Amino acid sequence: MSNKITGTIETKPLNDFIKKAGYIKDRFRKKIIFIKYKVGDSRFLLTNGDVYLYSKETGIDCKEEFELALGYTRLKSLCRYANKEIIRFEIEDNDTLSVKLITFALKGVNISIEHVIDYSYKDFQIPKKRKKLFEIDKKKFFDFLDVVAHARSNETNRFNINGFLLKLSNQNITAVATNGYKLALNKITDVKIKENKDTFMPAIDSYKNVLCEGIIHFYSIDEKQILLTDEINTYGFIMKHEGTASFPKYESVTFEDRNTFIKVNKNELYNAFKIIKDFHEETERDTNKTFRIYFKEECIQFKTKYAEVDINCEYSDKKLGAEGRSLLFGIQIISGFEKLTSDVITLFFEKWPNEYNQILIQGGVEDFMYFMPANDYENREK
């Protein structure tokens, strides 16, 4: 007669973990949930090969230790049918987990989920060696990232720019994001930094619902792994990344000379871009979709083949609008202006418009965006 391990698991902790695991996308391999139990130390762990998520709140009651690797989708289905607070389970010698659900109709339902034999606990271990970087209120941190998130790339094959570069220095955190067509920066100036360093975090904003509210803690495990935990260390996750070496040298497009500028109303600018985006020329590729900004005496004009929008502006020098300059941009830059924190937006020019001129857009004190113009032949002789 084969030995069996029997016990119970609370539905709520399992269901909560399944919901949080839903924010972790399939990457290098399908999502697997590892359940490790021993008295006084039980946890759920999940990985997609890139991100590791864990919870120390399992609600398991059992007299014997066990370890199981189970498919995420199967456990998700299990939670959908669980209509009681407690699920009874038994583990057979062949590593099959049999779960008995008791329904209101008093009819027993048995669901079997096979252990994934290709995985063991060593695939899910959370490194104990770590170095504290900083701690910060969760809402404050993700609101801070939200200002620049629109500028990061969503293309999974461009792994070096589909996240955020975080520069930690003294009491400051600077977040940088770019998709190659525009670049956004934001800064927090009142955080106690334990170690000055640069680190890259891939799409961390996608996981803001994983951690509990309140203070979150950031740890460096090594040059390619960052650990985040909540205040009571119930939930946490590890993010792997490729380091900062391949992130673009964004300093090359920034500039300090801000004597030439235009001021515009944020809502007017946002509405102009919305119209331009809705009425751009239809082409197969986004890289072929462009619009032009004309700088006129009393206004600036946004123009495509199908739409023209004028908005009022204030030049640093009225002579600038009389020169008839213009710049060409790709449609990819149009997003994120509503995130800037001031009602008046300032557009700075390092050099008065020429074909390769970046435009610095400033909202509040510490939030910036840079436009990278498309190739422009109209202004080459000007």
Side-chain angles (χ1 to χ4, degrees):
M1 184 175 179
S2 62
N3 294 324
K4 293 184 178 181
I5 298 175
T6 61
T8 61
I9 182 171
E10 296 177 16
T11 305
K12 186 179 184 305
L14 178 60
N15 202 36
D16 287 347
F17 187 77
I18 292 294
K19 288 180 180 178
K20 293 179 182 295
Y23 295 105
I24 311 296
K25 298 180 180 179
D26 287 336
R27 288 293 301 274
F28 305 115
R29 56 189 179 186
K30 290 186 177 180
K31 292 186 289 190
I32 299 296
I33 292 180
F34 197 92
I35 301 176
K36 177 180 173 61
Y37 176 80
K38 67 178 181 179
V39 177
D41 181 20
S42 63
R43 63 186 64 192
F44 297 134
L45 302 104
L46 173 139
T47 184
N48 62 357
D50 186 30
V51 176
Y52 290 77
L53 170 69
Y54 72 86
S55 171
K56 292 185 176 180
E57 185 176 324
T58 63
I60 296 175
D61 184 16
C62 187
K63 294 183 179 180
E64 299 181 60
E65 299 179 6
F66 65 88
E67 297 178 359
L68 283 174
L70 306 172
Y72 162 78
T73 53
R74 294 292 181 87
L75 282 176
K76 183 179 179 182
S77 298
L78 171 68
C79 288
R80 193 163 57 242
Y81 290 103
N83 61 354
K84 293 291 183 180
E85 294 181 358
I86 302 294
I87 302 173
R88 299 186 181 277
F89 66 84
E90 60 181 29
I91 304 172
E92 300 178 357
D93 286 343
N94 61 358
D95 287 331
T96 298
L97 175 62
S98 299
V99 182
K100 185 175 183 180
L101 304 177
I102 302 175
T103 65
F104 289 109
L106 300 179
K107 181 180 179 180
V109 178
N110 294 316
I111 298 176
S112 296
I113 304 175
E114 293 184 358
H115 168 69
V116 184
I117 60 175
D118 295 335
Y119 295 89
S120 64
Y121 182 59
K122 67 180 181 181
D123 297 313
F124 297 84
Q125 290 188 62
I126 306 298
K128 293 182 179 180
K129 187 178 179 180
R130 62 189 69 168
K131 183 181 293 186
K132 183 75 170 285
L133 293 177
F134 63 93
E135 62 184 54
I136 190 172
D137 179 75
K138 174 189 168 182
K139 184 179 185 305
K140 180 178 181 179
F141 180 74
F142 285 105
D143 285 349
F144 157 69
L145 282 188
D146 194 43
V147 175
V148 301
H150 61 89
R152 69 176 176 84
S153 174
N154 292 317
E155 300 175 43
T156 55
N157 61 332
R158 304 179 74 187
F159 61 88
N160 63 317
I161 57 173
N162 63 9
F164 306 89
L165 177 69
L166 295 186
K167 296 182 70 67
L168 311 181
S169 176
N170 299 324
Q171 306 300 311
N172 303 328
I173 304 176
T174 301
V176 186
T178 184
N179 60 7
Y181 304 99
K182 63 181 177 180
L183 183 145
L185 298 91
N186 196 12
K187 182 184 289 186
I188 294 180
T189 58
D190 56 350
V191 180
K192 293 182 179 180
I193 304 299
K194 304 290 185 180
E195 179 185 358
N196 293 348
K197 68 176 298 180
D198 295 352
T199 185
F200 181 74
M201 293 188 174
I204 189 176
D205 54 321
S206 303
Y207 307 123
K208 63 182 178 181
N209 293 317
V210 171
L211 300 172
C212 299
E213 299 301 321
I215 301 297
I216 55 176
H217 303 262
F218 286 71
Y219 299 88
S220 174
I221 295 175
D222 54 38
E223 289 302 315
K224 293 189 176 183
Q225 293 188 99
I226 297 292
L227 168 66
L228 282 75
T229 69
D230 53 35
E231 181 71 4
I232 57 177
N233 202 27
T234 299
Y235 290 98
F237 62 93
I238 293 177
M239 303 190 71
K240 289 185 176 181
H241 61 83
E242 297 299 322
T244 61
S246 58
F247 194 86
K249 301 296 182 183
Y250 73 92
E251 293 90 349
S252 63
V253 302
T254 62
F255 55 86
E256 297 299 328
D257 182 4
R258 299 176 186 173
N259 296 318
T260 306
F261 60 84
I262 300 173
K263 289 189 176 182
V264 297
N265 179 272
K266 181 176 76 171
N267 291 332
E268 290 184 9
L269 180 66
Y270 174 71
N271 290 332
F273 277 130
K274 189 175 186 302
I275 293 171
I276 292 300
K277 190 172 184 179
D278 289 342
F279 292 94
H280 60 73
E281 184 175 359
E282 293 294 336
T283 61
E284 291 183 1
R285 299 182 60 189
D286 280 348
T287 52
N288 295 330
K289 299 173 183 177
T290 58
F291 67 97
R292 189 173 290 278
I293 299 179
Y294 290 92
F295 301 94
K296 300 187 174 184
E297 290 189 24
E298 301 296 333
C299 66
I300 55 177
Q301 182 182 80
F302 299 80
K303 186 176 181 179
T304 68
K305 182 177 180 180
Y306 303 107
E308 294 181 7
V309 185
D310 293 350
I311 66 172
N312 296 322
C313 68
E314 177 186 335
Y315 288 98
S316 58
D317 186 338
K318 291 185 178 180
K319 295 179 181 179
L320 299 176
E323 297 180 2
R325 296 277 184 168
S326 69
L327 283 175
L328 186 69
F329 292 94
I331 208 76
Q332 302 92 336
I333 70 168
I334 299 180
S335 66
F337 298 95
E338 70 279 10
K339 303 295 184 181
L340 296 173
T341 57
S342 174
D343 292 334
V344 177
I345 304 300
T346 307
L347 285 67
F348 294 97
F349 300 85
E350 184 176 18
K351 300 177 182 177
W352 185 231
N354 58 50
E355 59 177 310
Y356 298 118
N357 182 211
Q358 286 84 24
I359 299 180
L360 164 61
I361 300 178
Q362 181 173 5
V365 176
E366 300 292 351
D367 53 325
F368 304 95
M369 291 174 55
Y370 289 85
F371 283 175
M372 288 69 163
N375 288 331
D376 187 353
Y377 299 98
E378 181 172 319
N379 287 316
R380 279 201 170 175
E381 302 302 323
K382 296 184 179 182

